[in-house]
Amino acid sequence: MDKILVTRKIPDKFVQQLQQLGEVQMWNEEFEPMPREQFLKEIEESTACFITLSEKIDEECLKHAEHLKIIANLAVGYDNIDVDSATKHDIDVTNTPNVLTETTAELGFTLMLTVARRIIEAEHYVQEGNWKSWGPYLLSGKDVHGSTVGIYGMGEIGKSFARRLQGFNTEILYHNRSRHEDAEQQLNAQYVSFDDLLERSDFVVCTAPLTSETADKFNATAFSKMKNDAIFINIGRGAIVDEEALIEALEHHQIGGCGLDVLREEPIRFDHPLLKMNNAVILPHIGSASVVTRDRMIQLCVDNIKAILQGEQPLTQVHN
Ligand code: GLV
């Protein structure tokens, strides 16, 4: 009987579907990852593996996974997986594109408006009893409407973000490793160099995946090119940003603020300097976290596992 390893607690309705396909071994915690040692042991016996971003899939775990046919990643980004190594071992890797696009763009948009209009500061101001009277510039922020927004990474999430900007009368710039004529024609997005994007944008929004090309892309040089009141939003991956350089840029008013849903180290340390900055809004990697979207993502992982175990093509296979 096929053994299916699930590294995080998922709802019964999905477990029941997996049980039709094989024996399910599930780590019963929702908010804590399976210890690496246990994972390495369990994966040796597994035919299919349903994982989250917390699991690092490398040669160390694949070399003993003799029965493994599929790794279904509960995310669109798959920088936690050594896909070359999986391919070498004849293991299919799948992810969850499309189903999370709109939800993730929506979170990015929320983050942009939140930082622009200083919503977290304003809420704390009220909660802490500081609201004594109205003031002409009390907690005044920055307009998104009429601004220039630069999108770094014009994949599905980047395009979805640009679609949301259509009602805001913004100039949309983008930078991507290849041009997207559809975005240029339908969304009025203008392709520019990375430097142009940094220099001209009031909001710089990163939706890119983590690759060797994007790693550390937002570093001291990049922040020094941005406008002094620019707001930087990251819904891609934490390692695209040099966080020390970002902190410096915020402290020295090289940029105006940031909103990050992804961090280099997740979860972020409670004493991390970014958490002490008024002009930084930090979220716990919740880009795709709506109930409906998470259900769809889990279902897609289940469907991919089902396809592979029944000898069919997976629905959303990852290729390097
Ligand atoms: C989340 O970050 C994802 O890649 O889906």
Side-chain angles (χ1 to χ4, degrees):
M1 196 177 202
D2 286 322
K3 199 168 149 196
I4 304 165
L5 177 62
V6 181
T7 64
R8 209 58 78 91
K9 186 174 167 51
I10 55 171
D12 285 349
K13 60 183 175 186
F14 300 111
V15 178
Q16 281 156 13
Q17 293 181 53
L18 290 170
Q19 281 166 339
Q20 306 286 314
L21 303 166
E23 185 195 331
V24 178
Q25 181 75 31
M26 183 169 75
W27 174 245
N28 233 342
E29 299 286 340
E30 201 179 336
F31 302 112
E32 234 180 81
M34 186 176 213
R36 173 82 175 170
E37 237 169 71
Q38 187 177 345
F39 175 65
L40 290 179
K41 215 163 116 228
E42 301 279 1
I43 204 171
E44 283 187 25
E45 306 295 319
S46 306
T47 328
C49 192
F50 178 129
I51 62 159
T52 70
L53 289 174
S54 308
E55 280 73 47
K56 185 170 161 54
I57 305 294
D58 53 13
E59 185 59 26
E60 183 196 16
C61 73
L62 295 181
K63 70 179 179 214
H64 299 301
E66 280 173 25
H67 314 281
L68 195 62
K69 294 184 181 160
I70 173 169
I71 298 161
N73 198 35
L74 185 65
V76 65
Y78 49 88
D79 48 281
N80 54 322
I81 302 172
D82 180 344
V83 178
D84 288 338
S85 179
T87 308
K88 195 180 85 193
H89 290 280
D90 220 7
I91 299 165
D92 287 321
V93 177
T94 63
N95 66 343
T96 59
N98 310 323
V99 290
L100 51 61
T101 302
E102 303 296 324
T103 302
T104 307
E106 212 158 274
L107 189 278
F109 215 87
T110 306
L111 200 44
M112 176 177 67
L113 290 170
T114 300
V115 181
R117 296 302 302 271
R118 303 173 61 186
I119 297 300
I120 307 291
E121 275 179 86
E123 210 262 346
H124 287 163
Y125 184 84
V126 176
Q127 292 282 351
E128 288 160 14
N130 296 323
W131 188 18
K132 306 287 188 232
S133 97
W134 186 88
Y137 293 96
L138 175 64
L139 288 158
S140 51
K142 195 172 158 70
D143 289 326
V144 172
H145 72 267
S147 72
T148 299
V149 180
I151 300 175
Y152 177 68
M154 198 46 117
E156 291 310 313
I157 296 172
K159 287 180 203 161
S160 178
F161 194 96
R163 270 199 301 281
R164 280 167 175 71
L165 285 170
Q166 301 301 304
F168 280 72
N169 184 32
T170 51
E171 181 179 30
I172 305 175
L173 310 178
Y174 81 97
H175 184 76
N176 197 67
R177 81 188 148 164
S178 54
R179 280 181 75 150
H180 281 271
E181 313 235 320
D182 53 339
E184 293 176 28
Q185 279 151 20
Q186 291 157 25
L187 302 167
N188 209 12
Q190 190 189 332
Y191 180 81
V192 292
S193 69
F194 185 57
D195 280 359
D196 260 6
L197 180 113
L198 297 172
E199 285 162 17
R200 289 171 56 190
S201 302
D202 300 300
F203 295 88
V204 175
V205 182
C206 171
T207 74
L210 176 61
T211 64
S212 53
E213 267 171 86
T214 65
D216 285 319
K217 191 81 179 168
F218 288 90
N219 52 24
T221 314
F223 291 121
S224 72
K225 292 181 177 156
M226 284 167 61
K227 294 184 183 179
N228 290 345
D229 63 347
I231 286 173
F232 173 66
I233 302 296
N234 189 10
I235 55 169
R237 279 292 181 270
I240 299 174
V241 179
D242 174 343
E243 279 171 9
E244 292 196 1
L246 172 60
I247 292 165
E248 288 258 310
L250 290 166
E251 275 174 354
H252 295 106
H253 308 288
Q254 261 179 340
I255 67 169
C258 76
L260 312 174
D261 182 44
V262 285
L263 283 305
R264 284 193 94 91
E265 204 184 307
E266 295 181 3
I268 193 170
R269 294 188 331 260
F270 189 60
D271 61 351
H272 197 290
L274 277 171
L275 296 184
K276 298 187 177 65
M277 307 185 92
N278 273 346
N279 51 355
V281 174
I282 312 298
L283 300 181
H285 202 149
I286 52 168
S288 61
S290 73
V291 176
V292 167
T293 293
R294 286 288 159 87
D295 271 358
R296 289 191 179 131
M297 291 165 67
I298 295 175
Q299 186 63 54
L300 186 49
C301 290
V302 169
D303 291 344
N304 276 315
I305 290 173
K306 186 171 176 193
I308 291 288
L309 296 186
Q310 295 183 341
E312 291 159 16
Q313 279 302 310
L315 285 83
T316 50
Q317 186 168 11
V318 157
H319 298 281
N320 250 3

